[in-house]
């Protein structure tokens, strides 16, 4: 489609949101056909692209590392990593608002972001926790920074939420595990210690858990009982896993 440098993305029912780390650009490959800007051909369909925002620290400018979409509003939520905030844009790329600048919800290198219901979960890579907000940016709570050493986060990255029970899965890049917390933000379990070497991102289906491991590099696949199933491994050309940073499932 286009040659993107470091490409991360998030898929919803109506949108494929991409962003480029090197260019600080958010692009929306929308299936709605409502955006009359530059177009590309994607799977034999003409699909518009929007470019949301530009590099910088002012409102509406981004230095991002995470992105998700609120399926209710179609608003785009960007984890603005270097600016320690989340910025929100509408589906046309218009800047709406940002959060959060003040304690106790102050951010410290927001990395992963996911929306579940009316809550926004944002991992804090240097904050060693996950912050929870409502979709308007009001701080609600945080988790991952209390308990024993084995129950606390070091450098959390990718997030996913189970639609079955609301459990929250959090990759920890330096602890080499995936933490699981209940929807009440209580520690439940961790897994992957003997398999993972730098878990960066995670995706869930009804029957499998997919973990992107940047240390190996590969994608490890676990069963829903957290037992290891198999891996997609090796580096190289088509059909092999290279140095990927994020991924998603169709």
């Amino acid at each position: 489609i286009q040659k993107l440098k470091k490409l991360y993305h998030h898929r919803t029912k109506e949108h494929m949101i991409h962003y480029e780390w090197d260019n600080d650009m958010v692009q929306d490959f929308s299936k709605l056909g409502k955006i009359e800007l530059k177009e590309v051909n994607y799977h034999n369909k003409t699909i518009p692209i929007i470019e949301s925002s530009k590099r910088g620290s002012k409102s509406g400018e981004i230095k991002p590392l995470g992105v998700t979409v609120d399926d209710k509003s179609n608003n785009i939520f960007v984890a603005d990593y270097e600016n320690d905030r989340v910025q929100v844009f509408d589906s046309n790329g218009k800047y709406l608002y940002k959060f959060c600048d003040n304690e106790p919800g102050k951010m410290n290198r927001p990395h992963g972001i996911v929306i579940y219901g009316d809550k926004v979960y944002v991992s804090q890579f240097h904050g060693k926790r996950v912050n929870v907000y409502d979709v308007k940016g009001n701080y609600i709570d945080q988790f991952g920074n209390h308990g024993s050493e084995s129950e606390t986060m070091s450098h959390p990255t990718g997030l996913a939420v189970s639609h079955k029970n609301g459990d929250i899965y959090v990759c920890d890049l330096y602890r080499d595990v995936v933490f699981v917390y209940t929807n009440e933000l209580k520690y439940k379990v961790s897994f992957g210690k003997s398999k993972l070497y730098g878990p960066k991102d995670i995706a869930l289906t009804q029957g499998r858990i997919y973990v992107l491991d940047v240390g190996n590099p590969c994608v490890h696949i676990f069963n829903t009982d957290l037992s290891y199933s198999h891996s997609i491994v090796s580096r190289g050309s088509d059909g092999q896993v290279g140095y990927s940073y994020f991924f998603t499932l169709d």
Side-chain angles (χ1 to χ4, degrees):
I1 297 174
Q2 283 188 333
K3 185 177 181 181
L4 307 179
K5 293 186 178 180
K6 292 184 180 178
L7 172 67
Y8 317 118
H9 58 257
H10 172 84
R11 180 188 293 273
T12 72
K13 293 180 181 179
E14 303 295 343
H15 291 261
M16 174 72 84
I17 304 297
H18 300 262
Y19 60 102
E20 297 179 50
W21 173 258
D22 289 345
N23 292 335
D24 297 314
M25 178 190 300
V26 175
Q27 297 182 320
D28 179 5
F29 293 78
S30 172
K31 299 176 184 177
L32 297 177
K34 294 182 179 179
I35 307 167
E36 297 179 356
L37 295 177
K38 187 164 55 174
E39 296 180 338
V40 295
N41 187 275
Y42 179 63
H43 288 192
N44 297 319
K45 294 181 181 179
T46 300
I47 301 172
I49 297 177
I50 64 169
E51 293 183 3
S52 257
S53 151
K54 61 182 180 179
R55 182 180 180 86
S57 57
K58 298 178 181 178
S59 295
E61 297 178 346
I62 56 174
K63 296 180 180 179
L65 195 57
V67 64
T68 192
V69 175
D70 181 2
D71 284 331
K72 295 179 181 178
S73 65
N74 282 329
N75 288 339
I76 303 166
F77 287 66
V78 179
D80 195 357
Y81 180 83
E82 291 192 30
N83 290 319
D84 290 327
R85 63 191 179 187
V86 167
Q87 296 203 76
V88 184
F89 302 82
D90 68 15
S91 58
N92 293 308
K94 179 183 177 182
Y95 169 77
L96 298 176
Y97 56 93
K98 63 183 177 181
F99 62 94
C100 177
D101 298 323
N102 302 314
E103 296 290 357
K106 187 174 178 64
M107 298 190 188
N108 192 347
R109 293 300 188 257
H111 192 293
I113 183 169
V114 65
I115 297 174
Y116 181 71
D118 57 357
K119 294 180 179 178
V120 184
Y121 300 90
V122 187
S123 63
Q124 308 296 309
F125 188 71
H126 287 173
K128 305 179 185 297
R129 65 183 186 274
V130 173
N131 288 1
V132 187
Y133 308 86
D134 65 23
V135 293
K136 295 298 183 182
N138 299 305
Y139 172 78
I140 297 174
D141 208 341
Q142 60 183 248
F143 64 95
N145 53 347
H146 299 291
S148 65
E149 182 178 355
S150 62
E151 298 176 0
T152 55
M153 300 178 188
S154 173
H155 290 79
T157 54
L159 302 167
V161 179
S162 169
H163 289 268
K164 180 179 179 180
N165 56 16
D167 281 355
I168 306 156
Y169 292 70
V170 185
C171 294
D172 195 302
L173 187 68
Y174 291 173
R175 290 209 186 278
D176 298 329
V177 298
V178 174
F179 289 103
V180 185
Y181 294 80
T182 69
N183 59 2
E184 297 178 343
L185 313 184
K186 304 297 183 183
Y187 172 81
K188 189 173 183 178
V189 70
S190 66
F191 67 94
K193 187 65 176 179
S194 62
K195 288 291 181 181
L196 301 175
Y197 185 65
K200 192 68 163 55
D201 201 14
I202 185 168
L204 308 178
T205 65
Q206 291 184 349
R208 294 288 174 87
I209 302 167
Y210 299 82
V211 182
L212 179 64
D213 191 340
V214 298
N216 282 325
C218 64
V219 175
H220 292 299
I221 303 173
F222 297 83
N223 301 308
T224 52
D225 64 0
L226 309 185
S227 61
Y228 171 75
S229 174
H230 61 285
S231 300
I232 303 171
V233 298
S234 186
R235 299 196 302 269
S237 58
D238 293 347
Q240 298 179 323
V241 178
Y243 287 103
S244 301
Y245 290 85
F246 289 82
F247 74 125
T248 191
L249 299 178
D250 186 352

